[in-house]
Every structure is written in structure tokens, then in C-alpha cells.
Amino acid sequence: MLKNIAIVTVIVKSLEITELVYQSELSYKLIHKGVVSEDMASGWGTKNIAGRPFLLMGPTNNEAVYLRFIESEEFDKNFRSLKTFGWNAIEILVRDTEKIFLTMKDSQYFRIVGKPVYISDEKSIKAMQVLGPSNELIYFTSIEKPEKTGLMIKEASTEIDRIFIMILGVDNIESLRRYYSEKFNIVTSDPAPYRIRTLSNEHGLPIETKFPLSIAKLSDKSLIEIDEYPKASIYRETKANELPPGIAMVSFYVDSIPNNLPFISPVTANKEPPYNNRKSAVIRGAVGELIEIIET
């Protein structure tokens, strides 16, 4: 049922810095500026968010995959997503990971936490990781041998392209797979052990530690990566009527909104871009992750 990734909502310390950095260093362009309406906040079950400023930004090739940054007066600079379950990393498709690495080395606002490496023995995919200006974790990934990935993902059409994978940290990968199958009719791959350097580093584990990983293929443009996290991980603390810290919510396009999901609030039709009067609703996932679906 879930199709392409539509919007990734991130809580940030400063919209001004975020806009500057994403434009100057990632060449992302401003799509829309606004404030969260009461209808939007109500639909998310986060009435305290109403009135807060936000930015909508996207890649230069006009792919309809957006980053929505919402400024928080109570931004927690010590929050680290990899210690918690939920939406924990944004993976952006790029043409040349090594080139991105060279331009990022001297960045004032992006901090490299993982140098470019091939993530498979076939040397088909190369990825690096950075922390952004509000500690958001971003992977920059280039697909060098698409025929060997088995993913059928369309290659980048610009230097820094769209978000094509969202990474979800979970407590039990099998129960999460059942949940997404039952709620969204999504087929996920059998879990396989993978080294995840950033996760090992965050938890003080040997770099060769392997974690169960499963992939949900949504389309030829979007995937969800499901990682089973160490037992020391915790559920993300969220204040009442607020969005979670870090990557707060991920929105997906759907053909039509079903009436059998446990939505947080009734289905609404928002005027703000990129909804443009289309219906949307939010469900809370198996580990507390917020999933918004937008009718196309």
C-alpha cells in the first residue's frame, strides 16, 4: 500500500541555519515556508506544534520527495537517534559518494561520522554518513553497479538526488515485519546480518558487530531499511502533544486511504504544500514511529 516516500519531517534548532546549509552544501532548494496550521497539528495529534515555523525543501531535479524542517524552542542538542527506536536516518541517493566526501570534509555544519565504503562484497553500493546541523543522521549513497544490487532502484539524475531510503530502528525485527505486513500489506526481505558502523560506534560495540537487517521495497524509488537495534536502546521519549525529537515522522504516498487503520486523528485535507488539498492521516507504528499517509 505504501508507495514512494513523500516527506521526512525533522525537528531542528534553527530554520535559518538549516535553510542556508542545505542550499549551499546540498544544493537543495526551498519549496515552501510556512507555519504549522491547527489542522496539520491536529491531524498529527500534536496540538502544541500549531503555529511553529517550518521549511519544505527538495532536490534540484524536482523529485516530489521533501524534507520538512520544523523549528523547536526546546531543541535537545544531546539527543542521539541511534540510542532509540524509531526513524533514525535519512538515506539520500547521490551520483558520487567520494565527491560528496571531499566537499564535506571541511564543512562547518556537517560532521562526517562514516567515510565512504562499499556496503557489499559486490562493490555495487557505496555509502558514507554525516550528522547535520541539528544532529540529523544522513547517509549519502551511490549505486555503482545497479544490476548487482537486486533493488531495481532508479539511479541518481543529479549530483545530490532524492531521499530513497528511510532507516527504522526496532526492538524486534520479526514483530516489526509482521506489523508492516498486516497494516500496510508490505513484503519485507528475510533478515540478514549486516555490519552497521555508525550503530556499533554509538553503542561502543566492535566495528565487526552484525545486526539483523530487512528491506521493504515500496517502489523503484523508495525503500525502508529495518534494523534490529542493541538491547540497550530505548523507546524515544516524546512530550505530550509534541512531535518526537530527531526525525519525527515519515510521510508516504498511497493510492487511497483505507478506513481500517488506527489513525491518531480523523483524516484531514490540508491546503499547505505538498498536500495541496489531498487527504492525509497519521498512524503510530510498532516502535512509536509516526507514519503519515497522503492520498495521491
Side-chain angles (χ1 to χ4, degrees), residues 192-213 227-231:
Y194 276 85
R195 288 184 291 272
I196 305 175
R197 297 175 299 162
T198 50
L199 190 57
S200 294
N201 288 337
E202 190 72 38
H203 286 266
L205 298 171
I207 201 68
E208 294 301 313
T209 301
K210 293 185 177 181
F211 305 90
L213 184 154
D227 300 338
E228 186 171 290
Y229 273 24
K231 299 300 183 185

PDB file of all heavy atoms in Angstrom, residues 192-213 227-231:
ATOM      1  N   ALA A 192      18.891 -10.433   7.443  1.00  0.00           N
ATOM      2  CA  ALA A 192      20.256 -10.912   7.213  1.00  0.00           C
ATOM      3  C   ALA A 192      21.198 -10.076   8.063  1.00  0.00           C
ATOM      4  O   ALA A 192      20.925  -8.902   8.324  1.00  0.00           O
ATOM      5  CB  ALA A 192      20.619 -10.798   5.736  1.00  0.00           C
ATOM      6  N   PRO A 193      22.310 -10.655   8.528  1.00  0.00           N
ATOM      7  CA  PRO A 193      23.238  -9.908   9.383  1.00  0.00           C
ATOM      8  C   PRO A 193      24.111  -8.944   8.583  1.00  0.00           C
ATOM      9  O   PRO A 193      24.702  -9.336   7.574  1.00  0.00           O
ATOM     10  CB  PRO A 193      24.080 -11.005  10.033  1.00  0.00           C
ATOM     11  CG  PRO A 193      24.032 -12.145   9.049  1.00  0.00           C
ATOM     12  CD  PRO A 193      22.704 -12.070   8.367  1.00  0.00           C
ATOM     13  N   TYR A 194      24.168  -7.705   9.031  1.00  0.00           N
ATOM     14  CA  TYR A 194      24.990  -6.681   8.371  1.00  0.00           C
ATOM     15  C   TYR A 194      25.765  -5.878   9.409  1.00  0.00           C
ATOM     16  O   TYR A 194      25.286  -5.653  10.522  1.00  0.00           O
ATOM     17  CB  TYR A 194      24.118  -5.712   7.571  1.00  0.00           C
ATOM     18  CG  TYR A 194      23.753  -6.199   6.186  1.00  0.00           C
ATOM     19  CD1 TYR A 194      22.651  -7.031   5.997  1.00  0.00           C
ATOM     20  CD2 TYR A 194      24.504  -5.837   5.082  1.00  0.00           C
ATOM     21  CE1 TYR A 194      22.306  -7.481   4.734  1.00  0.00           C
ATOM     22  CE2 TYR A 194      24.169  -6.279   3.798  1.00  0.00           C
ATOM     23  CZ  TYR A 194      23.070  -7.095   3.643  1.00  0.00           C
ATOM     24  OH  TYR A 194      22.738  -7.542   2.392  1.00  0.00           O
ATOM     25  N   ARG A 195      26.954  -5.445   9.011  1.00  0.00           N
ATOM     26  CA  ARG A 195      27.710  -4.500   9.831  1.00  0.00           C
ATOM     27  C   ARG A 195      27.136  -3.102   9.620  1.00  0.00           C
ATOM     28  O   ARG A 195      26.954  -2.668   8.485  1.00  0.00           O
ATOM     29  CB  ARG A 195      29.191  -4.514   9.461  1.00  0.00           C
ATOM     30  CG  ARG A 195      29.929  -5.766   9.896  1.00  0.00           C
ATOM     31  CD  ARG A 195      31.419  -5.672   9.572  1.00  0.00           C
ATOM     32  NE  ARG A 195      31.626  -5.726   8.119  1.00  0.00           N
ATOM     33  CZ  ARG A 195      31.768  -6.848   7.430  1.00  0.00           C
ATOM     34  NH1 ARG A 195      31.740  -8.014   8.050  1.00  0.00           N
ATOM     35  NH2 ARG A 195      31.950  -6.814   6.122  1.00  0.00           N
ATOM     36  N   ILE A 196      26.840  -2.404  10.713  1.00  0.00           N
ATOM     37  CA  ILE A 196      26.347  -1.024  10.645  1.00  0.00           C
ATOM     38  C   ILE A 196      27.288  -0.186  11.505  1.00  0.00           C
ATOM     39  O   ILE A 196      27.159  -0.132  12.732  1.00  0.00           O
ATOM     40  CB  ILE A 196      24.888  -0.907  11.137  1.00  0.00           C
ATOM     41  CG1 ILE A 196      23.983  -1.881  10.361  1.00  0.00           C
ATOM     42  CG2 ILE A 196      24.389   0.526  10.969  1.00  0.00           C
ATOM     43  CD1 ILE A 196      22.551  -1.924  10.853  1.00  0.00           C
ATOM     44  N   ARG A 197      28.269   0.432  10.887  1.00  0.00           N
ATOM     45  CA  ARG A 197      29.368   1.085  11.612  1.00  0.00           C
ATOM     46  C   ARG A 197      28.888   2.145  12.583  1.00  0.00           C
ATOM     47  O   ARG A 197      29.339   2.206  13.734  1.00  0.00           O
ATOM     48  CB  ARG A 197      30.345   1.711  10.622  1.00  0.00           C
ATOM     49  CG  ARG A 197      31.059   0.742   9.700  1.00  0.00           C
ATOM     50  CD  ARG A 197      31.909   1.491   8.701  1.00  0.00           C
ATOM     51  NE  ARG A 197      31.103   2.382   7.856  1.00  0.00           N
ATOM     52  CZ  ARG A 197      31.590   3.384   7.138  1.00  0.00           C
ATOM     53  NH1 ARG A 197      32.893   3.625   7.139  1.00  0.00           N
ATOM     54  NH2 ARG A 197      30.802   4.125   6.395  1.00  0.00           N
ATOM     55  N   THR A 198      27.991   2.992  12.105  1.00  0.00           N
ATOM     56  CA  THR A 198      27.532   4.092  12.969  1.00  0.00           C
ATOM     57  C   THR A 198      26.820   3.560  14.203  1.00  0.00           C
ATOM     58  O   THR A 198      26.956   4.117  15.299  1.00  0.00           O
ATOM     59  CB  THR A 198      26.591   5.029  12.190  1.00  0.00           C
ATOM     60  OG1 THR A 198      25.571   4.245  11.543  1.00  0.00           O
ATOM     61  CG2 THR A 198      27.342   5.828  11.150  1.00  0.00           C
ATOM     62  N   LEU A 199      26.064   2.495  14.051  1.00  0.00           N
ATOM     63  CA  LEU A 199      25.340   1.910  15.185  1.00  0.00           C
ATOM     64  C   LEU A 199      26.308   1.277  16.181  1.00  0.00           C
ATOM     65  O   LEU A 199      26.166   1.454  17.404  1.00  0.00           O
ATOM     66  CB  LEU A 199      24.332   0.880  14.669  1.00  0.00           C
ATOM     67  CG  LEU A 199      23.322   0.324  15.672  1.00  0.00           C
ATOM     68  CD1 LEU A 199      22.511   1.432  16.312  1.00  0.00           C
ATOM     69  CD2 LEU A 199      22.393  -0.688  14.980  1.00  0.00           C
ATOM     70  N   SER A 200      27.291   0.561  15.672  1.00  0.00           N
ATOM     71  CA  SER A 200      28.297  -0.037  16.556  1.00  0.00           C
ATOM     72  C   SER A 200      29.051   1.041  17.323  1.00  0.00           C
ATOM     73  O   SER A 200      29.266   0.927  18.546  1.00  0.00           O
ATOM     74  CB  SER A 200      29.281  -0.880  15.739  1.00  0.00           C
ATOM     75  OG  SER A 200      28.650  -2.002  15.179  1.00  0.00           O
ATOM     76  N   ASN A 201      29.456   2.091  16.630  1.00  0.00           N
ATOM     77  CA  ASN A 201      30.190   3.179  17.291  1.00  0.00           C
ATOM     78  C   ASN A 201      29.362   3.853  18.370  1.00  0.00           C
ATOM     79  O   ASN A 201      29.860   4.162  19.459  1.00  0.00           O
ATOM     80  CB  ASN A 201      30.631   4.216  16.251  1.00  0.00           C
ATOM     81  CG  ASN A 201      31.751   3.714  15.359  1.00  0.00           C
ATOM     82  OD1 ASN A 201      32.492   2.805  15.732  1.00  0.00           O
ATOM     83  ND2 ASN A 201      31.883   4.287  14.178  1.00  0.00           N
ATOM     84  N   GLU A 202      28.096   4.089  18.079  1.00  0.00           N
ATOM     85  CA  GLU A 202      27.222   4.768  19.044  1.00  0.00           C
ATOM     86  C   GLU A 202      27.044   3.950  20.318  1.00  0.00           C
ATOM     87  O   GLU A 202      26.928   4.495  21.417  1.00  0.00           O
ATOM     88  CB  GLU A 202      25.857   5.037  18.405  1.00  0.00           C
ATOM     89  CG  GLU A 202      24.939   5.938  19.215  1.00  0.00           C
ATOM     90  CD  GLU A 202      25.388   7.389  19.219  1.00  0.00           C
ATOM     91  OE1 GLU A 202      25.859   7.888  18.185  1.00  0.00           O
ATOM     92  OE2 GLU A 202      25.284   8.025  20.296  1.00  0.00           O
ATOM     93  N   HIS A 203      27.041   2.624  20.181  1.00  0.00           N
ATOM     94  CA  HIS A 203      26.806   1.742  21.331  1.00  0.00           C
ATOM     95  C   HIS A 203      28.102   1.158  21.904  1.00  0.00           C
ATOM     96  O   HIS A 203      28.059   0.320  22.809  1.00  0.00           O
ATOM     97  CB  HIS A 203      25.854   0.613  20.942  1.00  0.00           C
ATOM     98  CG  HIS A 203      24.427   1.055  20.799  1.00  0.00           C
ATOM     99  ND1 HIS A 203      23.504   0.964  21.817  1.00  0.00           N
ATOM    100  CD2 HIS A 203      23.776   1.646  19.757  1.00  0.00           C
ATOM    101  CE1 HIS A 203      22.340   1.432  21.405  1.00  0.00           C
ATOM    102  NE2 HIS A 203      22.474   1.860  20.166  1.00  0.00           N
ATOM    103  N   GLY A 204      29.242   1.600  21.376  1.00  0.00           N
ATOM    104  CA  GLY A 204      30.505   1.111  21.900  1.00  0.00           C
ATOM    105  C   GLY A 204      30.747  -0.358  21.641  1.00  0.00           C
ATOM    106  O   GLY A 204      31.397  -1.044  22.448  1.00  0.00           O
ATOM    107  N   LEU A 205      30.257  -0.857  20.517  1.00  0.00           N
ATOM    108  CA  LEU A 205      30.413  -2.262  20.162  1.00  0.00           C
ATOM    109  C   LEU A 205      31.533  -2.433  19.136  1.00  0.00           C
ATOM    110  O   LEU A 205      31.879  -1.480  18.437  1.00  0.00           O
ATOM    111  CB  LEU A 205      29.097  -2.801  19.587  1.00  0.00           C
ATOM    112  CG  LEU A 205      27.901  -2.773  20.547  1.00  0.00           C
ATOM    113  CD1 LEU A 205      26.616  -3.125  19.797  1.00  0.00           C
ATOM    114  CD2 LEU A 205      28.122  -3.744  21.703  1.00  0.00           C
ATOM    115  N   PRO A 206      32.107  -3.613  19.018  1.00  0.00           N
ATOM    116  CA  PRO A 206      33.137  -3.839  17.999  1.00  0.00           C
ATOM    117  C   PRO A 206      32.610  -3.501  16.611  1.00  0.00           C
ATOM    118  O   PRO A 206      31.442  -3.759  16.298  1.00  0.00           O
ATOM    119  CB  PRO A 206      33.437  -5.342  18.136  1.00  0.00           C
ATOM    120  CG  PRO A 206      33.050  -5.669  19.551  1.00  0.00           C
ATOM    121  CD  PRO A 206      31.874  -4.807  19.865  1.00  0.00           C
ATOM    122  N   ILE A 207      33.458  -2.953  15.783  1.00  0.00           N
ATOM    123  CA  ILE A 207      33.044  -2.492  14.466  1.00  0.00           C
ATOM    124  C   ILE A 207      32.550  -3.644  13.598  1.00  0.00           C
ATOM    125  O   ILE A 207      31.775  -3.448  12.649  1.00  0.00           O
ATOM    126  CB  ILE A 207      34.200  -1.737  13.769  1.00  0.00           C
ATOM    127  CG1 ILE A 207      33.654  -0.816  12.653  1.00  0.00           C
ATOM    128  CG2 ILE A 207      35.234  -2.719  13.228  1.00  0.00           C
ATOM    129  CD1 ILE A 207      32.846   0.333  13.130  1.00  0.00           C
ATOM    130  N   GLU A 208      32.967  -4.880  13.919  1.00  0.00           N
ATOM    131  CA  GLU A 208      32.547  -6.039  13.128  1.00  0.00           C
ATOM    132  C   GLU A 208      31.206  -6.614  13.584  1.00  0.00           C
ATOM    133  O   GLU A 208      30.728  -7.607  13.015  1.00  0.00           O
ATOM    134  CB  GLU A 208      33.618  -7.136  13.205  1.00  0.00           C
ATOM    135  CG  GLU A 208      34.932  -6.755  12.543  1.00  0.00           C
ATOM    136  CD  GLU A 208      34.752  -6.429  11.065  1.00  0.00           C
ATOM    137  OE1 GLU A 208      34.069  -7.213  10.371  1.00  0.00           O
ATOM    138  OE2 GLU A 208      35.285  -5.398  10.612  1.00  0.00           O
ATOM    139  N   THR A 209      30.590  -6.000  14.608  1.00  0.00           N
ATOM    140  CA  THR A 209      29.285  -6.476  15.087  1.00  0.00           C
ATOM    141  C   THR A 209      28.272  -6.435  13.949  1.00  0.00           C
ATOM    142  O   THR A 209      28.212  -5.474  13.187  1.00  0.00           O
ATOM    143  CB  THR A 209      28.791  -5.605  16.248  1.00  0.00           C
ATOM    144  OG1 THR A 209      29.741  -5.642  17.317  1.00  0.00           O
ATOM    145  CG2 THR A 209      27.443  -6.113  16.770  1.00  0.00           C
ATOM    146  N   LYS A 210      27.463  -7.477  13.853  1.00  0.00           N
ATOM    147  CA  LYS A 210      26.425  -7.529  12.825  1.00  0.00           C
ATOM    148  C   LYS A 210      25.041  -7.461  13.449  1.00  0.00           C
ATOM    149  O   LYS A 210      24.814  -7.990  14.541  1.00  0.00           O
ATOM    150  CB  LYS A 210      26.577  -8.789  11.971  1.00  0.00           C
ATOM    151  CG  LYS A 210      27.845  -8.788  11.119  1.00  0.00           C
ATOM    152  CD  LYS A 210      27.904  -9.990  10.197  1.00  0.00           C
ATOM    153  CE  LYS A 210      29.153  -9.925   9.309  1.00  0.00           C
ATOM    154  NZ  LYS A 210      29.228 -11.078   8.385  1.00  0.00           N
ATOM    155  N   PHE A 211      24.141  -6.802  12.744  1.00  0.00           N
ATOM    156  CA  PHE A 211      22.782  -6.594  13.228  1.00  0.00           C
ATOM    157  C   PHE A 211      21.789  -7.127  12.195  1.00  0.00           C
ATOM    158  O   PHE A 211      22.022  -6.996  10.984  1.00  0.00           O
ATOM    159  CB  PHE A 211      22.514  -5.100  13.452  1.00  0.00           C
ATOM    160  CG  PHE A 211      23.500  -4.430  14.355  1.00  0.00           C
ATOM    161  CD1 PHE A 211      24.647  -3.841  13.838  1.00  0.00           C
ATOM    162  CD2 PHE A 211      23.297  -4.384  15.726  1.00  0.00           C
ATOM    163  CE1 PHE A 211      25.564  -3.212  14.668  1.00  0.00           C
ATOM    164  CE2 PHE A 211      24.207  -3.770  16.566  1.00  0.00           C
ATOM    165  CZ  PHE A 211      25.338  -3.183  16.042  1.00  0.00           C
ATOM    166  N   PRO A 212      20.678  -7.720  12.639  1.00  0.00           N
ATOM    167  CA  PRO A 212      19.664  -8.181  11.689  1.00  0.00           C
ATOM    168  C   PRO A 212      19.093  -7.001  10.905  1.00  0.00           C
ATOM    169  O   PRO A 212      18.744  -5.972  11.481  1.00  0.00           O
ATOM    170  CB  PRO A 212      18.597  -8.823  12.582  1.00  0.00           C
ATOM    171  CG  PRO A 212      19.308  -9.145  13.861  1.00  0.00           C
ATOM    172  CD  PRO A 212      20.331  -8.068  14.033  1.00  0.00           C
ATOM    173  N   LEU A 213      18.986  -7.154   9.596  1.00  0.00           N
ATOM    174  CA  LEU A 213      18.534  -6.082   8.713  1.00  0.00           C
ATOM    175  C   LEU A 213      17.571  -6.653   7.684  1.00  0.00           C
ATOM    176  O   LEU A 213      17.819  -7.717   7.111  1.00  0.00           O
ATOM    177  CB  LEU A 213      19.739  -5.435   8.031  1.00  0.00           C
ATOM    178  CG  LEU A 213      19.530  -4.219   7.127  1.00  0.00           C
ATOM    179  CD1 LEU A 213      20.808  -3.371   7.080  1.00  0.00           C
ATOM    180  CD2 LEU A 213      19.163  -4.646   5.689  1.00  0.00           C
ATOM    181  N   ASP A 227      16.320  -2.087  10.861  1.00  0.00           N
ATOM    182  CA  ASP A 227      17.483  -2.575  11.598  1.00  0.00           C
ATOM    183  C   ASP A 227      17.065  -2.953  13.015  1.00  0.00           C
ATOM    184  O   ASP A 227      16.406  -2.159  13.700  1.00  0.00           O
ATOM    185  CB  ASP A 227      18.562  -1.490  11.696  1.00  0.00           C
ATOM    186  CG  ASP A 227      19.065  -1.026  10.337  1.00  0.00           C
ATOM    187  OD1 ASP A 227      18.917  -1.768   9.352  1.00  0.00           O
ATOM    188  OD2 ASP A 227      19.600   0.097  10.270  1.00  0.00           O
ATOM    189  N   GLU A 228      17.477  -4.132  13.469  1.00  0.00           N
ATOM    190  CA  GLU A 228      17.230  -4.508  14.866  1.00  0.00           C
ATOM    191  C   GLU A 228      18.358  -3.949  15.723  1.00  0.00           C
ATOM    192  O   GLU A 228      19.531  -4.275  15.508  1.00  0.00           O
ATOM    193  CB  GLU A 228      17.123  -6.020  15.020  1.00  0.00           C
ATOM    194  CG  GLU A 228      16.713  -6.433  16.431  1.00  0.00           C
ATOM    195  CD  GLU A 228      16.400  -7.908  16.534  1.00  0.00           C
ATOM    196  OE1 GLU A 228      15.365  -8.339  15.985  1.00  0.00           O
ATOM    197  OE2 GLU A 228      17.204  -8.636  17.162  1.00  0.00           O
ATOM    198  N   TYR A 229      18.003  -3.120  16.691  1.00  0.00           N
ATOM    199  CA  TYR A 229      18.986  -2.388  17.489  1.00  0.00           C
ATOM    200  C   TYR A 229      19.432  -3.165  18.718  1.00  0.00           C
ATOM    201  O   TYR A 229      18.760  -4.096  19.172  1.00  0.00           O
ATOM    202  CB  TYR A 229      18.385  -1.042  17.910  1.00  0.00           C
ATOM    203  CG  TYR A 229      18.578   0.053  16.885  1.00  0.00           C
ATOM    204  CD1 TYR A 229      18.782  -0.229  15.541  1.00  0.00           C
ATOM    205  CD2 TYR A 229      18.578   1.392  17.261  1.00  0.00           C
ATOM    206  CE1 TYR A 229      18.979   0.761  14.611  1.00  0.00           C
ATOM    207  CE2 TYR A 229      18.767   2.409  16.329  1.00  0.00           C
ATOM    208  CZ  TYR A 229      18.970   2.078  15.007  1.00  0.00           C
ATOM    209  OH  TYR A 229      19.165   3.065  14.082  1.00  0.00           O
ATOM    210  N   PRO A 230      20.574  -2.774  19.307  1.00  0.00           N
ATOM    211  CA  PRO A 230      21.053  -3.421  20.532  1.00  0.00           C
ATOM    212  C   PRO A 230      20.035  -3.311  21.663  1.00  0.00           C
ATOM    213  O   PRO A 230      19.206  -2.388  21.701  1.00  0.00           O
ATOM    214  CB  PRO A 230      22.330  -2.625  20.860  1.00  0.00           C
ATOM    215  CG  PRO A 230      22.772  -2.051  19.559  1.00  0.00           C
ATOM    216  CD  PRO A 230      21.515  -1.748  18.803  1.00  0.00           C
ATOM    217  N   LYS A 231      20.109  -4.235  22.594  1.00  0.00           N
ATOM    218  CA  LYS A 231      19.143  -4.298  23.696  1.00  0.00           C
ATOM    219  C   LYS A 231      19.186  -3.044  24.575  1.00  0.00           C
ATOM    220  O   LYS A 231      18.208  -2.723  25.250  1.00  0.00           O
ATOM    221  CB  LYS A 231      19.409  -5.534  24.561  1.00  0.00           C
ATOM    222  CG  LYS A 231      19.269  -6.859  23.819  1.00  0.00           C
ATOM    223  CD  LYS A 231      17.871  -7.046  23.245  1.00  0.00           C
ATOM    224  CE  LYS A 231      17.723  -8.404  22.567  1.00  0.00           C
ATOM    225  NZ  LYS A 231      16.401  -8.538  21.900  1.00  0.00           N
TER     226      LYS A 231
END
